[in-house]
Amino acid sequence: MKFFNKFSITLIGAVAIVATAQLTPVVAISTQISSVSVVAGTKAEDFFMQGNDKYKKGDYQGAVEAYTQAIVLNPNYVEAYNSRGNSRRALGDSQGAFVDYDRALRINPNYAFAYLNRGVARNDLGDKQAAIADFSEALRINPNFAMAYYNRGNARFNLGDKQGAVADYDQALRINPNFALAYNGRGNARRGLGDNQGAIADYDRALRIYPNDAYAYVGRGSARSQLGDNQGALADYNEALRIDPNDADVYVGRGNARSALGDKQGALADYTEALRIEPDYATAYYNRGVVRNDLGEKQAAIADYNEAVKINPNYADAYYNRGLVRSELGDKQSAVADFNEVLRINPNHPKAYYDRGLVRRGLGDNQGAVADYNEALRINPNFAQAYNNRGFARANLGDKQGAIADYQKAADLFQKQGDQNNYQKAVNNLRKIQ
């Protein structure tokens, strides 16, 4: 007897980039001179102004030194602590920045800028809840502080509170209707909530305000891709790369759009370029592996999946796809090993159980195959193919009644799911065994 669906390969598709364009906090820079900041003459003020000038020119280390001189002359110079914190953060020293903002707040507990900036530093250091508390405190002092709403929105977004993020971006835009970053952030949050049309509207607004916002093009491209407009997505990724030709994420996004449009060679070139820019980019290796498999380059696909799991040993999709390709090439033991890895990472992956069952059945291990189909059906009771293939394994084990029950269930599910072709095959299987 010949049964259908013996060793079907259903590769997981290319992974789309999130394209949230790292929600970068906005740091508040104060150039205000406190009326009590200068004790003797204007020396401390002079150093403060020198620090501001160096900061604007990108000389952050020089700015730190100038602000430090101002603080030596006036240990209560709140603005100098705040600005030195900004300079330290620009140098990558978020812990040092936090200390400076904290010192500014001990001197002046109502300094909204310092709360905002300490929140940014806390966010950098991974303490997002404390960051939200600081942004909220800044808003208590100044309820019209658009940057505080924007940064709190970023922190909420990063914690998964997309509705809260939208509410904060709304407030930022109520205060400043030309705040391009807030439109961008709200677009990201709306896209995360599945509102791709609303996201596109926000990215459009951001681009009207700032036409060279690469992140807005990337976000809009991702939203368009989600809506099936891969041609529009391609155009957006092209614009983003015109602005910044060295962004590996955008090459991956464009590669995904090209692949969806059938341009596999173009997609391959984009993933390869992403890897030239960022050699440890596991998703780029994974997506290139998908395209290479589509092009019939099975060994090259395996090589890419090898690199993906080397970089990320818990990359379940890469193990899964490598297992499918190995199975197709006849390396069934290695395929089983790959599906084992998938299930180590995600014990509730029904397709990994199903495909391991197919391989085990091909190796003559019908009992093991039945056990795998049982698990697949425990996780997904509507998995029609698992019922059909369990029927095949049960038939091989001499369990005719079990096989009949499985073929009947498979036929019922295929019919309900509108899969007429597989419904007919299941019915044929049922007739042959009865």
Side-chain angles (χ1 to χ4, degrees):
M1 288 184 287
K2 199 163 180 178
F3 294 85
F4 77 100
N5 245 354
K6 194 167 182 184
F7 284 96
S8 64
I9 294 233
T10 50
L11 288 176
I12 294 176
V15 171
I17 56 173
V18 176
T20 57
Q22 186 59 44
L23 292 170
T24 306
V26 172
V27 177
I29 300 173
S30 172
T31 57
Q32 172 188 355
I33 306 301
S34 169
S35 60
V36 297
S37 65
V38 180
V39 177
T42 58
K43 197 67 180 279
E45 180 181 336
D46 289 343
F47 279 118
F48 180 77
M49 298 306 291
Q50 286 177 26
N52 288 348
D53 185 59
K54 289 177 185 293
Y55 185 94
K56 289 174 187 174
K57 291 176 179 176
D59 180 9
Y60 303 122
Q61 188 58 50
V64 167
E65 292 166 4
Y67 293 134
T68 299
Q69 288 297 317
I71 290 166
V72 167
L73 291 170
N74 180 3
N76 291 315
Y77 202 156
V78 175
E79 291 80 9
Y81 280 111
N82 183 66
S83 296
R84 188 173 70 178
N86 293 343
S87 301
R88 283 177 162 166
R89 181 174 180 273
L91 289 167
D93 180 12
S94 293
Q95 187 62 50
F98 171 84
V99 170
D100 275 339
Y101 302 137
D102 201 54
R103 182 64 183 273
L105 287 166
R106 285 205 297 273
I107 299 166
N108 180 2
N110 290 308
Y111 192 13
F113 277 173
Y115 276 113
L116 176 84
N117 291 343
R118 190 175 71 176
V120 170
R122 281 176 157 167
N123 184 73
D124 291 344
L125 295 167
D127 192 353
K128 298 189 190 325
Q129 291 291 359
I132 287 173
D134 274 343
F135 300 140
S136 298
E137 195 61 22
L139 288 164
R140 180 189 63 79
I141 298 164
N142 179 3
N144 290 310
F145 201 167
M147 285 193 294
Y149 279 116
Y150 169 75
N151 279 290
R152 192 172 70 179
N154 290 351
R156 284 175 163 170
F157 180 93
N158 288 329
L159 285 171
D161 179 12
K162 295 178 179 63
Q163 290 287 6
V166 167
D168 276 337
Y169 297 134
D170 285 345
Q171 289 298 318
L173 291 165
R174 174 186 60 80
I175 298 162
N176 178 6
N178 292 310
F179 197 165
L181 285 173
Y183 282 114
N184 209 352
R186 191 172 68 179
N188 293 336
R190 282 176 162 170
R191 187 159 49 83
L193 290 166
D195 180 13
N196 287 295
Q197 291 291 2
I200 288 172
D202 276 336
Y203 297 132
D204 287 345
R205 288 291 297 272
L207 288 165
R208 282 203 295 273
I209 297 164
Y210 183 43
N212 285 316
D213 186 349
Y215 288 152
Y217 279 114
V218 173
R220 192 172 69 178
S222 294
R224 283 175 162 171
S225 179
Q226 288 295 312
L227 291 170
D229 179 13
N230 287 295
Q231 200 63 56
L234 183 61
D236 277 336
Y237 293 133
N238 286 341
E239 283 300 304
L241 289 168
R242 175 186 61 79
I243 297 162
D244 180 3
N246 293 304
D247 191 325
D249 285 342
V250 185
Y251 282 107
V252 169
R254 191 173 71 176
N256 294 347
R258 283 176 160 171
S259 178
L261 289 166
D263 180 10
K264 304 296 182 183
Q265 290 295 347
L268 191 67
D270 275 339
Y271 299 138
T272 301
E273 185 63 15
L275 288 165
R276 182 190 65 79
I277 297 165
E278 194 175 323
D280 290 330
Y281 198 164
T283 300
Y285 276 114
Y286 171 82
N287 287 1
R288 193 173 70 176
V290 171
V291 169
R292 282 178 159 167
N293 182 72
D294 290 343
L295 290 168
E297 301 171 9
K298 307 294 183 185
Q299 291 295 348
I302 288 174
D304 276 339
Y305 296 138
N306 289 346
E307 290 299 315
V309 298
K310 187 190 305 181
I311 296 163
N312 178 5
N314 290 312
Y315 203 157
D317 287 348
Y319 285 113
Y320 178 74
N321 279 9
R322 189 174 70 179
L324 293 176
V325 178
R326 282 174 161 172
S327 173
E328 187 180 17
L329 291 173
D331 185 2
K332 294 178 173 46
Q333 292 293 354
S334 294
V336 168
D338 277 336
F339 297 136
N340 289 345
E341 284 299 302
V342 176
L343 293 167
R344 172 187 65 80
I345 298 160
N346 179 9
N348 291 306
H349 194 305
K351 289 180 72 65
Y353 280 114
Y354 171 78
D355 285 294
R356 190 173 70 179
L358 291 179
V359 176
R360 282 177 163 170
R361 197 183 70 203
L363 289 167
D365 180 10
N366 287 289
Q367 198 64 54
V370 167
D372 276 338
Y373 298 137
N374 289 345
E375 286 300 304
L377 290 165
R378 175 185 62 80
I379 299 162
N380 179 7
N382 294 313
F383 199 163
Q385 288 176 332
Y387 278 109
N388 183 77
N389 281 286
R390 190 173 69 178
F392 183 22
R394 281 175 162 172
N396 287 342
L397 289 167
D399 181 6
K400 182 177 178 180
Q401 290 306 316
I404 289 171
D406 277 339
Y407 292 141
Q408 184 62 62
K409 183 67 173 179
D412 292 344
L413 285 170
F414 282 131
Q415 190 172 43
K416 287 178 185 176
Q417 293 163 7
D419 189 344
Q420 190 61 34
N421 184 49
N422 279 332
Y423 163 74
Q424 194 56 56
K425 289 179 179 178
V427 168
N428 292 340
N429 288 339
L430 188 57
R431 286 171 180 162
K432 287 175 184 176
I433 200 172
Q434 285 177 330

